[in-house]
Amino acid sequence: MFDPTLTADATQTLALQTRKGGPIINFMNPIEPHDGIHLEVQRLRARYTKATHRNVGPSARYNCHGLTFAARRTGISDPAQIARILRDDGYEKLSFGTAPSPGDIAIYQEDGDIIHSGLVVELRGDTPRVLGKWGDCHEVIHDVRDCPYGTAAVAYYRLSR
Amino acid sequence: MTILSPIDLRDAATIVAVANTPIFLAKRMRELPAAQRARELFTPEQLFGALEQLVLRKPTSHDQVVEPFFYLSVLALHNQGVLLRKASELSAPNLRWFAEVAAYYYAAARPTSLVSVGVPLATPPAAQSASLSPKLILPSSVANSAPRILRATQ
């Protein structure tokens, strides 16, 4: 629960729940990113030239999972929390070979860790384009594997109701 | 300047910047070629000593956030369980995920050597005799109920 008595630079936790009322552990860091993060954003823009780099961020208030599941209000870093959200909220995993459509969720998983997530925003041919937050950096719309997390296994989930 | 000044930390800085989870940060940092090189240059004791100081610092730049995690990843490459446990117990109030990353490295540490220790079996005093023939010593309750063949050989 957000605590207004804490100092302005203190990390906060918001009251966040799944559809079944399960609490979601989260962190919201309001500190402005250090100057070095802006340099990292520039490096990422130079490296991933096919991506659309949004002028949103950098920010430590939320991460990719916070964008995907918490409307950019806070960050979620525990893979168990993501798994709980997917289960409790009723997300259905698309079967292999089923093409995702805009609005679906892309989940990047590696050795049991959910290292990235994002929203499918369009399909370019057979390649989904995903809107994601890259850590403390900015938001990027990128081909599903054209990102720092591209070596992970990617699965798509859909909320049907 | 820190002891790692000869090391290029640019890739480490990117990892810290784009990490969405502490495990991603831990794994990618440890895989860096720079971390492998640093392992050859610095002892575990040097790395832990630096960590003890750095976790108390409030970072004022991104590089100051990166350094402790890089030190920690190099310490992990040394696979020193004792120092990794100590690192996981350090208080790092200004470093998000430091505790989680240190705990991950400590959990992943494996022993580097196994020592076999021989434990001689203690010989009961009653069995210590000049006889070279081995004897089967049975409790009386068992001996009395033993089959005849055993009594004949005793």
Side-chain angles (χ1 to χ4, degrees):
Chain A
M1 184 77 73
F2 184 85
D3 186 350
T5 65
L6 295 178
T7 58
D9 61 349
T11 297
Q12 292 273 6
T13 296
L14 300 185
L16 195 61
Q17 294 176 307
T18 67
R19 281 186 172 185
K20 290 188 176 180
I24 300 171
I25 299 170
N26 63 90
F27 64 93
M28 194 268 289
N29 187 347
I31 295 179
E32 284 299 312
H34 300 298
D35 288 344
I37 289 288
H38 294 274
L39 181 60
E40 293 302 319
V41 170
Q42 291 176 20
R43 294 181 68 195
L44 292 167
R45 284 176 179 266
R47 180 175 175 182
Y48 295 93
T49 56
K50 294 194 302 180
T52 299
H53 297 265
R54 302 189 73 217
N55 288 324
V56 176
S59 171
R61 288 176 178 268
Y62 65 104
N63 63 350
C64 64
H65 302 318
L67 183 155
T68 305
F69 298 108
R72 301 181 172 88
R73 289 186 178 88
T74 185
I76 305 168
S77 63
D78 183 356
Q81 303 299 307
I82 306 303
R84 171 192 273 187
I85 293 169
L86 292 173
R87 183 183 63 246
D88 285 5
D89 286 5
Y91 280 91
E92 295 170 348
K93 184 177 179 179
L94 300 186
S95 58
F96 182 78
T98 300
S101 58
D104 291 338
I105 303 293
I107 296 291
Y108 295 65
Q109 195 162 353
E110 185 178 86
D111 296 334
D113 188 23
I114 300 178
I115 65 173
H116 185 52
S117 66
L119 298 163
V120 177
V121 294
E122 71 171 301
L123 287 177
R124 285 191 180 175
D126 294 333
T127 303
R129 296 262 295 173
V130 175
L131 166 63
K133 174 82 161 37
W134 289 4
D136 288 348
C137 294
H138 57 313
E139 292 185 9
V140 187
I141 299 173
H142 55 90
D143 288 353
V144 62
R145 296 207 174 276
D146 186 32
C147 62
Y149 328 94
T151 56
V154 182
Y156 300 95
Y157 290 78
R158 178 174 297 164
L159 199 56
S160 301
R161 56 187 178 279
Chain B
M1 195 59 190
T2 68
I3 63 173
L4 292 186
S5 53
I7 304 294
D8 185 350
L9 297 184
R10 280 179 295 179
D11 288 342
T14 299
I15 288 171
V16 173
V18 302
N20 290 304
T21 68
I23 295 178
F24 175 91
L25 191 160
K27 292 173 67 176
R28 290 291 195 276
M29 192 71 79
R30 192 174 53 184
E31 293 168 357
L32 284 175
Q36 304 287 339
R37 286 195 295 275
R39 180 183 180 276
E40 304 301 319
L41 296 176
F42 305 107
T43 66
E45 291 74 21
Q46 283 178 308
L47 293 162
F48 182 75
L51 273 173
E52 283 184 303
Q53 299 177 39
L54 290 174
V55 295
L56 300 176
R57 180 181 65 183
K58 188 167 186 178
T60 57
S61 69
H62 184 58
D63 284 347
Q64 290 189 353
V65 174
V66 174
E67 277 176 340
F69 287 104
F70 188 77
Y71 280 109
L72 192 52
S73 71
V74 182
L75 183 61
L77 288 174
H78 279 289
N79 202 29
Q80 295 283 315
V82 173
L83 289 179
L84 284 172
R85 178 180 57 77
K86 288 183 176 181
S88 70
E89 295 169 351
L90 291 173
S91 174
N94 302 305
L95 294 171
R96 183 189 66 191
W97 295 339
F98 184 88
E100 290 88 341
V101 173
Y104 174 82
Y105 286 146
Y106 176 49
R110 293 287 182 267
T112 55
S113 63
L114 294 174
V115 178
S116 296
V117 179
V119 180
L121 292 174
T123 305
Q128 293 173 358
S129 67
S131 170
L132 295 178
S133 59
K135 290 185 179 179
L136 174 64
I137 306 297
L138 297 175
S140 56
S141 59
V142 176
N144 291 334
S145 60
R148 290 180 184 176
I149 188 170
L150 281 179
R151 289 201 192 104
T153 58
Q154 285 180 347

